[in-house]
Amino acid sequence: ALAAAKTATIAVDLANPEGLSVSGKITATLCDPTGTALASTTVALDGDKAFLELTDIPGISLWDIDTPVLYEMVLSLETEHGTDRTLTHFGFRDIAFTPTGFQLNGRKLKLLGLDRHQSYPYSGYGLGRAAQEKDAEILKNELRVNIVRTSHYPQSPWFLDHCDRIGLLVLEEIPGWQHIGGAKWKAESVENVRRMVTRDWNHPSIITWGVRINESRDDHDFYAETNAVAHALDTTRPTCGVRNFPESEFLEVIYT
């Protein structure tokens, strides 16, 4: 992300529940915040997956907590069965956890944050977009923190989208609290890691994946697998795991 000319890679999964034989093409177009197209590429569709890359993109502004610049990736699908289109927003930024502290875009940044539960008096988890966005604004503008922990489950895309827009960093976690179940339970928790990463990996605000059940006991094989899945899916972000007792086995990149 710190190179003068940027690269954007796009991994596409095509939903094809009927298992149709599909041929055609996919076009990826990168647009700046004004909607102006900056770069575009097209590949032939071969199966239900595609990989596209835009290289040597000049003039890109980095996403930062004070200047959260977002770009838009537009994907267009053309097949013999028809056409489709989707888009996503993301940012270019570089993160690093070093022995001397966290760095955002090559500069040291002291992290100051709070936990956030996605529940409200009387309405529980039932409030919509305005309330989700307001919580992000309270954290950033009134409480003056620069990172929020989604304690402890993936939260509304409305909340995460607004963290992207206003420059609020995020530690996102899988669901759970203290309890670890049997083999079937653990397999579902590993899938929760997969769902979290693949749903939310385009958010520049997210800087680490929480892959440990909050305040749970050590479980070597289970947590080795949750870490491995997160790293295999996303090589750009470190893992962490929140615990509440000393001398816990440390399998993550960041000790939390």
Side-chain angles (χ1 to χ4, degrees):
L2 299 182
K6 305 296 189 288
T7 297
T9 57
I10 308 101
V12 180
D13 286 298
L14 180 65
N16 187 10
E18 296 182 10
L20 299 174
S21 176
V22 179
S23 62
K25 61 182 181 180
I26 294 178
T27 300
T29 303
L30 177 68
C31 298
D32 69 11
T34 69
T36 302
L38 301 178
S40 184
T41 187
T42 301
V43 298
L45 184 62
D46 181 18
D48 293 341
K49 294 183 181 294
F51 183 84
L52 302 92
E53 188 172 60
L54 299 170
T55 59
D56 297 324
I57 311 167
I60 293 293
S61 298
L62 295 180
W63 184 96
D64 209 310
I65 59 172
D66 297 319
T67 54
V69 180
L70 294 174
Y71 291 82
E72 183 177 79
M73 187 67 71
V74 181
L75 292 177
S76 300
L77 172 69
E78 297 180 38
T79 76
E80 68 269 35
H81 303 290
T83 62
D84 202 357
R85 182 176 180 272
T86 188
L87 59 86
T88 188
H89 291 93
F90 72 104
F92 293 84
R93 58 101 180 98
D94 181 78
I95 60 168
F97 287 84
T98 78
T100 59
F102 173 71
Q103 292 184 359
L104 177 61
N105 297 328
R107 82 176 199 283
K108 188 173 180 179
L109 176 66
K110 185 174 180 62
L111 297 175
L112 177 65
L114 290 167
D115 297 349
R116 186 249 184 179
H117 269 297
Q118 186 177 273
S119 57
Y120 298 84
Y122 308 108
S123 59
Y125 285 44
L127 288 188
R129 178 173 178 172
Q132 302 290 343
E133 294 178 350
K134 181 63 176 176
D135 263 10
E137 291 175 2
I138 290 171
L139 286 159
K140 170 88 175 184
N141 300 323
E142 297 182 30
L143 299 177
R144 301 292 182 180
V145 301
N146 56 23
I147 186 169
V148 57
R149 172 188 169 214
T150 66
S151 54
H152 21 79
Y153 38 84
Q155 295 180 13
S156 167
W158 286 325
F159 178 76
L160 296 175
D161 286 345
H162 209 51
C163 290
D164 291 341
R165 285 192 292 268
I166 67 176
L168 179 62
L169 301 174
V170 178
L171 182 168
E172 186 173 33
E173 292 182 300
I174 56 173
W177 177 59
Q178 296 185 348
H179 172 77
I180 298 176
K184 187 175 180 180
W185 190 100
K186 292 177 184 178
E188 186 66 19
S189 188
V190 171
E191 283 304 302
N192 281 336
V193 174
R194 192 181 310 278
R195 295 182 187 109
M196 174 179 68
V197 175
T198 56
R199 189 194 77 163
D200 293 335
W201 54 19
N202 290 330
H203 291 284
S205 58
I206 296 174
I207 61 171
T208 179
W209 302 116
V211 298
R212 184 182 176 101
I213 302 299
N214 179 57
E215 299 180 359
S216 62
R217 67 183 187 276
D218 287 342
D219 190 314
H220 176 84
D221 291 345
F222 174 39
Y223 288 132
E225 187 173 7
T226 61
N227 275 276
V229 167
H231 290 308
L233 290 169
D234 181 6
T235 61
T236 70
R237 294 178 179 91
T239 57
C240 66
V242 176
R243 64 262 289 155
N244 65 341
F245 59 94
E247 299 183 9
S248 170
E249 183 183 22
F250 181 37
L251 296 174
E252 303 81 29
V253 177
I254 308 166
Y255 191 88
T256 42

